[in-house]
């Protein structure tokens, strides 16, 4: 089946540094990818929609200058957490939308990236 | 304002018991999905319900979509410790997949 990968799976960084997370669709092309954030024992909260070749659209309350998204190819979207602080520590999950299977849209999720900012 | 209201948010039961999780909205959805997520992993799709009144079964799990396509339920029969996890309902709204609050299920042996 379709696979979406994320790298790294976990990262620890110092406060003030920037961290880049990659999301790849491995066997299909995705013009649209999504980035979610999840705190412990909570649900997934949509942060932004990543569109190939154009600017990402951010949900209300999500700082676009803080969470930089780049979707430079049909199989790769990156999320960069700039000047990370301890409150940015969270589980970040991406998903990719696939239209190639019989015309029915399916959204596949990556395994997530655990970010810990010290 | 939560578009999808999921309840209960926490559920702790003994092995062998039955349970139902509800997902409600004031909006109509063309489809709703149910996911299961284990700690440290991404959510895994269990089922998609599309037609109002539809019932789908996946072994001991029964999913139902309301007639008006505003609500859905997940019923687990004879729960087992392996069913422990976070269950999430989700629906597409404005082209984006939005999740309910989730139900943290713990099944004790």
């Amino acid at each position: 089946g379709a696979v979406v990968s994320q790298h790294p799976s976990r990262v620890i960084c110092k406060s003030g540094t920037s961290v880049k997370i990659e999301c790849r669709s491995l066997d299909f092309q995705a013009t649209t990818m999504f980035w979610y954030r999840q705190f412990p024992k909570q649900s997934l909260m949509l942060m932004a929609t990543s569109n190939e070749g154009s600017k990402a659209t951010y949900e209300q309350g999500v700082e676009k200058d803080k969470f930089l998204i780049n979707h430079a190819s049909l199989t790769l979207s990156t999320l960069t957490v700039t000047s990370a602080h301890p409150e940015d520590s969270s589980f970040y999950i991406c998903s990719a939308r696939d239209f190639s299977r019989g015309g029915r849209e399916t959204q596949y999720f990556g395994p997530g990236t655990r970010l810990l900012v010290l | 304002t939560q578009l999808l209201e999921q309840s209960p948010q926490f559920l702790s039961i003994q092995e062998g018991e039955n349970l139902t999780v509800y997902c409600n909205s004031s909006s109509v959805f063309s489809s709703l999905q149910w996911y299961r997520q284990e700690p440290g992993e991404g959510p895994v799709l269990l089922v998609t319900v599309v037609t109002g009144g539809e019932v789908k079964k996946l072994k001991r799990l029964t999913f139902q979509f309301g007639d008006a396509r505003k609500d859905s339920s997940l019923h687990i029969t004879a729960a087992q410790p392996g069913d422990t996890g976070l269950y999430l309902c989700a629906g597409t709204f404005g082209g984006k997949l939005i999740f309910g609050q989730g139900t943290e299920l713990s099944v004790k042996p």
Side-chain angles (χ1 to χ4, degrees):
Chain A
V3 178
V4 173
S5 70
Q6 279 185 243
H7 177 79
S9 58
R10 56 181 64 196
V11 56
I12 300 173
C13 69
K14 293 182 179 180
S15 186
T17 61
S18 294
V19 175
K20 181 185 282 188
I21 303 170
E22 293 185 349
C23 176
R24 293 181 185 273
S25 58
L26 298 184
D27 60 356
F28 65 97
Q29 294 182 330
T31 55
T32 305
M33 292 185 175
F34 301 89
W35 286 96
Y36 293 84
R37 182 175 181 175
Q38 185 178 32
F39 291 107
K41 303 296 184 182
Q42 294 187 22
S43 186
L44 282 73
M45 295 298 294
L46 181 63
M47 298 175 65
T49 303
S50 174
N51 305 295
E52 189 269 334
S54 64
K55 290 183 179 180
T57 53
Y58 291 80
E59 295 301 300
Q60 190 173 6
V62 178
E63 300 176 58
K64 61 179 181 181
D65 295 329
K66 172 82 174 169
F67 299 98
L68 300 178
I69 291 173
N70 186 284
H71 193 154
S73 79
L74 287 171
T75 59
L76 173 64
S77 175
T78 61
L79 168 68
T80 301
V81 184
T82 62
S83 186
H85 291 284
E87 57 266 29
D88 298 324
S89 299
S90 191
F91 194 49
Y92 292 87
I93 304 172
C94 74
S95 68
R97 188 178 278 171
D98 180 15
F99 288 97
S100 65
R101 297 163 198 271
R104 186 171 179 176
E105 172 194 330
T106 305
Q107 195 161 321
Y108 296 97
F109 286 84
T113 296
R114 175 77 60 192
L115 171 62
L116 177 60
V117 184
L118 303 176
Chain B
T1 304
Q2 190 75 29
L3 192 62
L4 285 169
E5 292 284 347
Q6 197 172 333
S7 63
Q9 292 187 35
F10 298 95
L11 192 56
S12 181
I13 61 172
Q14 292 295 130
E15 181 176 3
E17 292 183 11
N18 302 331
L19 67 112
T20 302
V21 178
Y22 299 94
C23 181
N24 296 299
S25 177
S26 57
S27 300
V28 175
F29 286 87
S30 58
S31 66
L32 282 178
Q33 291 91 46
W34 285 92
Y35 291 82
R36 181 180 168 200
Q37 186 183 24
E38 306 227 16
E41 299 180 10
V44 175
L45 179 66
L46 296 174
V47 78
T48 300
V49 285
V50 179
T51 306
E54 180 178 11
V55 176
K56 281 190 173 179
K57 292 194 174 184
L58 189 66
K59 296 183 180 178
R60 291 177 293 101
L61 279 60
T62 302
F63 304 86
Q64 190 162 4
F65 200 14
D67 291 339
R69 292 185 287 125
K70 292 182 178 181
D71 57 272
S72 182
S73 64
L74 157 61
H75 182 80
I76 300 179
T77 303
Q80 299 176 2
D83 295 327
T84 294
L86 179 66
Y87 290 82
L88 299 154
C89 69
T92 299
F93 193 82
K96 296 173 281 191
L97 190 65
I98 305 299
F99 286 84
Q101 300 100 320
T103 296
E104 186 75 39
L105 172 65
S106 173
V107 183
K108 299 179 180 177

